[in-house]
Amino acid sequence: MRIAFPVLSFLCMLPLASQAPIPAPAALPTTLQNGSFTEGALGQIPKGWFVPKFSREAGYRSEIAEEASLPGKRCAVLLREGTGAAGFGNLMQNVDAAPYRGKRIRLKGQLRLDAKAGPGAAAQMWFRVDREGEKSGFFDNMQERPVRFLPSSAWTLVEIVGDVATDAKQLALGIMLPNGGDKLWIAPLTFEVLGDTPVIRTEGPKALSRQGLENLEAFTRAFNYVRFFHPTDEAAKADWNRVAIEGVRVVEGATSTPDLAKRLQSYFAPYAPSAQFLASGQKPKVPAMALSAAFVVRWSHLGFGQKNPQNAYRSTREYLPVGELVSKGWVEPNSVATLKLGEGLNVWLPSVVFADASKATLPKALARVGVSKTSTLPEPTAGGLGSGEDRATRLGAVALAWGVFQHFYPYFDVVNTDWQAELPKALHSAAQDKNAEAFTHTLARMVAALKDGHGGAYGAEMMGSWTPALGLVMVDGHPIVRFSGESAKAVPPGSRILSLDGEASGIRLAKLKTEISAASDGWMNTSLVREFLGGDANTKVQVRYQLPSGLEGEASLSRDVKAWELKNPSKPGSLTELRAGFWYVDLDRISNQEFEAALPKLTQAKGVVFDLRGYPKTSPSFLQHLTDKPMDSARWNIPIVTQPDGKNWAWNTSGRWTLEPKAPRIAGKVAFLTGGGAISYAESCLGIVEAYKLAEIVGEPTAGTNGNVNPFTLPGGYSISWTGMKVLKHDGSTHHGVGILPTVPVKSTLKGLAEGRDEVLEKGLEVVSR
């Protein structure tokens, strides 16, 4: 079982806090507390609610305020004061899940952004079901439908509908400002039971026939061509999750290529009335331009666009008067070019279509195919369609995910991946997966083929996020103990792990590698040691190890630590004077406020060692105290996609950020420590250090993965994380898979680990002491 770590929002500009589970109190309330915000004094935090630590550190607090327009005359306000650590605001509470097990519930409220908020501002309500054994259930944070800023400062109604699992432990819910906004008003929230969770239709595992596989490969290609590149009004409004699942059921059983073409023609007609599914060599019958045509329309994708205004990615339909088609260089709607779907089957599907004077697309489609609902209840607002236990849902999810990467992944020119070959692999596996958990591994293997350090697949059954108190590091391909916590002292630092529960370490590592997406050896090794010991909470694992002396031992250890909370107890404090005049600053732990307070000491220091071996907690302002001239970030490149299969991409190169010098300047010698665990925002910072030669870089190459993630959800409650933009170094050279290279290479040795030394830190101190 792999560890499913909390998905971080790896942004290029600023770090966001991890969304790790928040410890529940000993006794939870059995219903929403003070949803009306009438309990508590004005100016004080609403009773029953709390602002979590990471939001408090970012400068957020909450209070009750008066609001005359509301029935109860009360609301809550989430606001930011001062400049704390980079992060987002969150007001939340936890509720006992027991009364709601097996129920469909609805959380409803109203949100209003501050009148001074800009057009990019957004707010989101969220709801999460935590299950027994640290497993996750339903989760929706309105990522794809956030509340946007309205100039009128009007209230916006929001709701989340979700199912509570029968083994649910607690419900967590709240409201957040995901992009570090300053102020949000929250009207009274309600929490209601809608009824019992409906039984979802499921089909058991069954292998694909050769013809069935060919059918689904052709369907997947056609589905994504229509979804992303055929700009009809009907396609723009389609529920593509539902179209994918039902399409699998319609298409798989085709008995021949002509039968397949007939089924595809019929199934996609409501969304693509112009489409023609043709035998190889058959010419399309291109219709003449309608007399009522006044415009032409096409999709223009700034990466894989979704509905979140805080996302860097957008998908919009562009319109041109018919007479401007040629001058603007658009593809002709009557081009005879076809797209290949499989052996002996093509499709004619124009990526530019005509529209009338009202901009309604032509020709008009047939009535949309309906799918009967088995329940009168509102459907869940996230991941609710289908189940990972259902074969068609799994196959539909593969079609959805594969198509996103086929048309929008920006690194196929860098990674050595045969993406076409990954489709039949994933379809074969999904058809035979025995349950929802098995399918998570299928998705993980598909994403691993992208070689994207941000890549990951996550499902409700895939938690296993606990570990013994052992910190590991890979040395020459072997997992070695870096440090031992109190409950794992039986296995001392420097020990090589030989096996877990009788399984040789080499075998376990090989299995893990197939499901880890990594652009570099450094990130692969970081991920391997992070997941190597993982399992469910408080389970035992039998560890066989070899001491540095060669002697072997065995210990039974308990997985009693959440993997992302595992800390090295021997690491210096976040701000430590290592010796007179020489300071250590851990950027993974120090806040903006703490750094600003330390500046008088750092500016007078003889040398400063910045530790950037993880993910920084602070903003990039520390770099501004190392320069006397403005500095730019690396080059962000978002693909502008108007044609399928990676053809004729243009690039949006805006979004680079500039750092101006700040006083006082740190004048002493500086070194940065780094390694394979430094990813994304950490690499943005180090890229500036590298490009402007601000300091020596000590350690090992970074993860080689940068750029805004663009996560999306799939039917059955699955989510996928990946990088949606291409980042190049300042000089235009490749960053992906290369990373930031150290100017002073150092790595841990068996001898150093056995002695409890941090050899990278030692070298960094040596560098600034020269």
Side-chain angles (χ1 to χ4, degrees):
M1 179 183 290
R2 286 187 55 208
I3 292 179
F5 274 71
V7 180
L8 298 179
S9 294
F10 288 111
L11 299 182
C12 295
M13 291 191 62
L14 296 174
L16 293 185
S18 163
Q19 299 199 27
I22 297 171
L28 292 173
T30 57
T31 189
L32 177 70
Q33 297 295 291
N34 194 19
S36 63
F37 305 121
T38 55
E39 297 180 49
L42 292 173
Q44 301 297 313
I45 188 167
K47 182 179 178 181
W49 296 84
F50 68 95
V51 176
K53 181 181 178 182
F54 63 78
S55 290
R56 296 197 304 272
E57 290 176 342
Y60 287 95
R61 66 180 181 84
S62 180
E63 63 181 32
I64 298 174
E66 289 184 312
E67 176 54 58
S69 66
L70 297 174
K73 310 300 183 186
R74 288 283 189 97
C75 69
V77 180
L78 179 61
L79 67 160
R80 187 177 194 176
E81 297 177 333
T83 55
F88 61 90
N90 194 8
L91 177 66
M92 65 172 293
Q93 66 174 270
N94 297 314
V95 176
D96 187 356
Y100 307 101
R101 290 171 184 157
K103 303 294 183 182
R104 178 162 292 178
I105 57 88
R106 174 161 53 201
L107 178 65
K108 184 187 293 186
Q110 296 183 77
L111 303 179
R112 189 183 77 194
L113 284 158
D114 184 79
K116 297 178 182 179
Q124 295 164 224
M125 187 167 68
W126 61 272
F127 176 74
R128 188 186 71 222
V129 177
D130 296 332
R131 298 164 56 201
E132 296 289 350
E134 296 297 318
K135 294 179 180 178
S136 63
F138 175 85
F139 174 68
D140 183 6
N141 66 357
M142 296 181 57
Q143 176 177 294
E144 298 178 356
R145 57 187 198 289
V147 172
R148 304 184 185 208
F149 168 72
L150 297 174
S152 62
S153 299
W155 289 98
T156 300
L157 181 67
V158 293
E159 72 172 44
I160 292 175
V161 176
D163 293 328
V164 180
T166 55
D167 63 346
K169 182 179 180 180
Q170 74 170 14
L171 312 178
L173 56 93
I175 305 93
M176 64 180 183
L177 283 164
N179 65 327
D182 290 331
K183 200 168 187 180
L184 170 67
W185 278 265
I186 307 158
L189 305 181
T190 60
F191 187 80
E192 61 180 316
V193 176
L194 300 175
D196 292 337
T197 300
V199 177
I200 299 175
R201 168 187 174 185
T202 61
E203 176 190 359
K206 181 178 68 174
L208 288 168
S209 67
R210 180 176 178 179
Q211 182 67 54
L213 176 61
E214 292 176 1
N215 294 344
L216 291 184
E217 286 188 75
F219 168 76
T220 297
R221 294 188 175 94
F223 169 84
N224 286 290
Y225 287 144
V226 176
R227 178 189 182 194
F228 294 125
F229 300 102
H230 192 60
T232 63
D233 295 336
E234 295 78 14
K237 294 182 291 188
D239 179 349
W240 289 111
N241 286 355
R242 189 179 297 280
V243 174
I245 295 170
E246 292 302 316
V248 165
R249 297 187 174 119
V250 168
V251 168
E252 182 187 352
T255 57
S256 64
T257 300
D259 183 26
L260 174 60
K262 182 179 179 180
R263 295 189 189 206
L264 290 171
Q265 186 77 52
S266 173
Y267 190 70
F268 285 111
Y271 316 102
S274 301
Q276 297 175 38
F277 292 84
L278 310 165
S280 294
Q282 187 179 357
K283 300 294 184 182
K285 297 177 181 179
V286 179
M289 182 178 71
L291 294 177
S292 60
F295 294 93
V296 285
V297 56
R298 72 175 183 181
W299 278 111
S300 180
H301 303 282
L302 185 60
F304 170 48
Q306 300 184 68
K307 298 177 182 178
N308 188 341
Q310 297 311 308
N311 200 317
Y313 311 101
R314 304 281 189 279
S315 288
T316 56
R317 287 191 294 169
E318 297 180 327
Y319 297 83
L320 272 182
V322 169
E324 297 182 19
L325 174 71
V326 176
S327 64
K328 296 295 185 181
W330 282 27
V331 175
E332 293 278 354
N334 56 1
S335 168
V336 297
T338 59
L339 299 164
K340 184 174 181 179
L341 301 180
E343 288 303 318
L345 184 63
N346 298 331
V347 63
W348 182 75
L349 186 78
S351 59
V352 176
V353 302
F354 293 108
D356 63 21
S358 67
K359 295 187 177 180
T361 54
L362 303 169
K364 302 296 183 183
L366 301 174
R368 181 179 168 188
V369 175
V371 180
S372 60
K373 292 176 63 175
T374 58
S375 171
T376 58
L377 295 180
E379 290 190 353
T381 49
L385 180 65
S387 163
E389 302 293 328
D390 174 51
R391 181 175 178 273
T393 300
R394 298 193 299 268
L395 290 167
V398 168
L400 286 155
W402 184 88
V404 170
F405 300 127
Q406 167 67 11
H407 298 297
F408 300 104
Y409 185 54
Y411 289 114
F412 280 132
D413 64 330
V414 176
V415 300
N416 184 25
T417 293
D418 182 354
W419 190 242
Q420 300 304 310
E422 294 303 318
L423 178 56
K425 289 180 189 176
L427 289 171
H428 260 308
S429 181
Q432 299 178 82
D433 282 332
K434 62 182 181 180
N435 55 30
E437 180 180 1
F439 182 56
T440 312
H441 295 279
T442 293
L443 289 174
R445 289 190 294 271
M446 182 171 69
V447 175
L450 297 172
K451 300 179 182 177
D452 176 6
H454 286 149
Y458 309 91
E461 300 295 331
M462 192 179 172
M463 289 304 287
S465 52
W466 291 71
T467 179
L470 288 179
L472 304 180
V473 61
M474 294 294 291
V475 177
D476 298 328
H478 303 293
I480 309 296
V481 177
R482 179 187 293 279
F483 63 86
S484 307
E486 197 61 39
S487 62
K489 289 292 186 185
V491 187
S495 299
R496 172 185 166 186
I497 306 300
L498 301 175
S499 68
L500 298 182
D501 290 332
E503 181 180 53
S505 292
I507 295 175
R508 183 170 178 82
L509 290 170
K511 290 178 181 177
L512 288 172
K513 284 182 179 180
T514 66
E515 298 184 15
I516 293 173
S517 191
S520 67
D521 290 341
W523 185 251
M524 175 61 76
N525 287 335
T526 297
S527 300
L528 285 171
V529 298
R530 188 180 65 180
E531 302 187 9
F532 183 75
L533 295 165
D536 290 331
N538 300 315
T539 55
K540 294 288 186 180
V541 59
Q542 199 70 17
V543 178
R544 190 164 65 88
Y545 58 93
Q546 184 181 60
L547 296 169
S549 65
L551 295 176
E552 296 185 7
E554 196 161 325
S556 178
L557 302 179
S558 177
R559 294 184 174 101
D560 54 4
V561 181
K562 291 177 180 176
W564 56 83
E565 295 178 355
L566 187 63
K567 307 297 182 186
N568 187 347
S570 62
K571 197 173 185 180
S574 59
L575 180 69
T576 301
E577 190 171 22
L578 299 174
R579 63 170 182 253
F582 293 91
W583 286 85
Y584 168 84
V585 180
D586 189 351
L587 294 170
D588 298 353
R589 293 182 286 161
I590 197 169
S591 69
N592 285 343
Q593 291 173 320
E594 291 167 334
F595 179 78
E596 292 294 328
L599 267 175
K601 298 175 181 176
L602 300 179
T603 54
Q604 298 300 314
K606 298 176 184 177
V608 180
V609 178
F610 287 102
D611 198 335
L612 241 177
R613 287 178 282 187
Y615 200 81
K617 183 180 178 181
T618 159
S619 75
S621 61
F622 62 92
L623 295 169
Q624 297 172 271
H625 296 280
L626 301 176
T627 184
D628 57 5
K629 60 182 179 181
M631 302 181 297
D632 292 327
S633 63
R635 302 185 182 191
W636 319 131
N637 300 272
I638 304 178
I640 301 171
V641 182
T642 59
Q643 297 178 48
D645 300 318
K647 294 178 182 177
N648 301 318
W649 279 9
W651 298 91
N652 181 315
T653 58
S654 64
R656 295 180 76 179
W657 34 281
T658 299
L659 299 178
E660 298 290 343
K662 273 188 178 181
R665 186 175 176 185
I666 298 174
K669 195 155 188 180
V670 175
F672 282 82
L673 313 183
T674 196
I679 191 170
S680 198
Y681 170 56
E683 295 182 284
S684 296
C685 296
L686 284 166
I688 293 173
V689 175
E690 178 185 61
Y692 292 92
K693 297 180 171 56
L694 300 180
E696 298 284 7
I697 301 174
V698 181
E700 299 182 76
T702 60
T705 300
N706 200 359
N708 289 40
V709 293
N710 193 9
F712 59 91
T713 57
L714 294 171
Y718 299 92
S719 61
I720 302 288
S721 178
W722 62 296
T723 308
M725 66 169 62
K726 175 176 283 189
V727 175
L728 300 175
K729 294 197 175 200
H730 288 70
D731 62 4
S733 62
T734 299
H735 175 87
H736 194 81
V738 177
I740 309 300
L741 304 180
T743 57
V744 183
V746 185
K747 59 182 180 180
S748 299
T749 65
L750 289 173
K751 182 176 184 295
L753 291 168
E755 294 171 355
R757 295 162 47 209
D758 185 340
E759 292 160 286
V760 176
L761 175 55
E762 290 174 359
K763 179 59 72 173
L765 181 58
E766 176 189 319
V767 166
V768 299
S769 300
R770 291 173 184 167

